[in-house]
């Protein structure tokens, strides 16, 4: 084992101006909301007044988010380990907030389900494509980092976790929640939590964008690898939407499912556009990106 080199007692100190450290500061300021403090009494009241189709639409979304948050909470650790092994202290400091926030998201959706009295098994909402992503692809891609911490393996993990699951699927889910609940002016507790989640996730996706840009800068051939991975994942996002829509032309809340599909497609291209900005940049420039340049709210 090579002798460990301490950073914070060296003249390097902490890279306080670096993107990951600034993100860590932001997480400490904004990531402090407590799911247990949210009042769901109006939600419980609203829930009883919804018709069966409307309840079904909301439950499908919640059950996919609930299991999705559980999965990302359980699957993140190997990435944190890989980053720590490389001694990337500021990145790991941010990642401590990342995992804590995913735990709170998992808690949040369970509190919603408890408040509306849904105690039954919801796994029938997990369609084939949903299972392919959250029961297989995500855990195997993340677990690979336990034995393989190559730049390509880390890039693949970040594409699947940050760009695809968070940056495309979760973002589409928020869009669907707002489409259903905001117009109907119901379930304020659920919407309040979704507002927090969206901000937390913007930091997670921002970190993933930074990580991929750093990897692409250090190993330029990875850009094509990342782009190919995104292309490979695209049909899964489209199929997941189609399975949710199930041939309907209008959702139970009167929303247009075609708009959800458009949103997903836009997210897929936005993620690649932002990554492409790293092309030809120097590593110092990547560390200096501002929050807004990487889409952090
Ligand atoms: Mn989350
Ligand atoms: Fe996240």
């Amino acid at each position: 084992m090579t002798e460990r080199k301490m950073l914070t007692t060296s003249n390097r100190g902490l890279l306080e101006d670096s993107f990951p450290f600034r993100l860590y500061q932001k997480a400490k300021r904004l990531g402090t909301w407590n799911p247990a403090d949210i009042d769901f009494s109006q939600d419980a009241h609203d829930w009883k007044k919804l018709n069966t189709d409307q309840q079904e639409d909301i439950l499908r979304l919640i059950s996919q988010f609930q299991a999705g948050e559980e999965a990302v909470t359980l699957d993140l650790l190997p990435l944190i380990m890989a980053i720590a092994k490389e001694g990337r202290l500021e990145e790991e400091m941010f990642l401590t907030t990342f995992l804590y926030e995913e735990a709170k998201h998992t808690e949040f959706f369970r509190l919603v389900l408890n408040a509306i009295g849904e105690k039954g098994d919801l796994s029938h909402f997990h369609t084939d494509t949903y299972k392919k992503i959250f029961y297989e692809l995500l855990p195997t891609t993340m677990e690979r980092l336990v034995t393989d911490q190559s730049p390509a393996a880390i890039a693949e993990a970040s594409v699947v976790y940050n760009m695809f699951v968070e940056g495309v699927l979760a973002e589409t889910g928020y869009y669907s929640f707002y489409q259903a609940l905001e117009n109907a002016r119901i379930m304020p507790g659920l919407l309040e939590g979704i507002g927090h989640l969206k901000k937390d996730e913007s930091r997670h996706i921002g970190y993933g964008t930074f990580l991929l840009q750093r990897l692409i800068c250090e190993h330029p051939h990875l850009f094509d690898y990342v782009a190919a991975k995104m292309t490979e994942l695209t049909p899964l996002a489209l199929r997941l939407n189609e399975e949710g829509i199930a041939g309907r032309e209008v959702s139970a809340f009167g929303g247009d499912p075609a708009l959800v599909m458009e949103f997903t497609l836009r997210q897929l291209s936005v993620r690649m556009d932002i990554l492409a900005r790293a092309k030809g940049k120097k590593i110092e420039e990547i560390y200096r990106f501002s929050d807004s340049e990487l889409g952090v709210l």
Side-chain angles (χ1 to χ4, degrees), residues 65 68-69 72-73 98 101-103 105-106 161 166 170 174 197 200-201 204:
F65 260 104
E69 300 291 2
V72 294
T73 304
F98 191 141
E101 286 167 6
E102 296 303 5
H105 300 171
T106 303
Y161 191 119
E166 297 187 310
Y174 305 138
L197 246 73
D200 292 351
E201 290 303 330
H204 304 172

Side-chain angles (χ1 to χ4, degrees), residues 98-165:
F98 191 141
L99 186 52
Y100 169 64
E101 286 167 6
E102 296 303 5
K104 285 198 294 180
H105 300 171
T106 303
E107 177 192 3
F108 168 73
F109 284 106
R110 196 57 246 181
L111 288 176
V112 177
L113 287 169
N114 294 349
I116 61 176
E118 281 299 325
K119 303 264 188 222
D121 189 273
L122 299 171
S123 57
H124 60 282
F125 287 115
H126 300 165
T127 58
D128 289 346
T129 308
Y130 184 89
K131 283 191 170 151
K132 172 112 200 92
I133 298 166
F134 288 94
Y135 291 45
E136 289 172 43
L137 188 63
L138 183 69
T140 48
T141 309
M142 301 309 289
E143 258 170 50
R144 180 181 157 199
L145 294 178
V146 175
T147 50
D148 176 2
Q149 292 123 31
S150 63
I154 297 177
E156 186 177 353
S158 183
V159 168
V160 172
Y161 191 119
N162 306 116
M163 295 300 107
F164 187 66
V165 168

Side-chain angles (χ1 to χ4, degrees), residues 223-295:
F223 183 82
D224 291 340
Y225 178 77
V226 165
K229 214 56 240 164
M230 280 299 269
T231 308
E232 199 184 306
L233 294 168
T234 298
L236 289 176
L238 304 184
R239 276 216 307 274
L240 188 64
N241 273 354
E242 278 159 13
E243 288 167 355
I245 294 164
R248 291 174 301 167
E249 276 174 18
V250 62
S251 82
F253 289 91
D256 182 357
L259 293 177
V260 178
M261 196 60 107
E262 268 172 39
F263 184 89
T264 300
L265 286 168
R266 202 160 55 238
Q267 285 303 113
L268 284 160
S269 66
V270 162
R271 302 270 73 98
M272 278 317 298
D273 290 350
I274 299 178
L275 287 179
R277 282 184 210 153
K279 270 186 152 180
K281 285 228 157 48
K282 294 195 193 70
I283 195 80
E284 304 83 59
E285 295 177 281
I286 306 232
Y287 276 85
R288 276 203 304 265
F289 270 128
S290 69
D291 289 4
S292 58
E293 280 173 300
L294 298 191

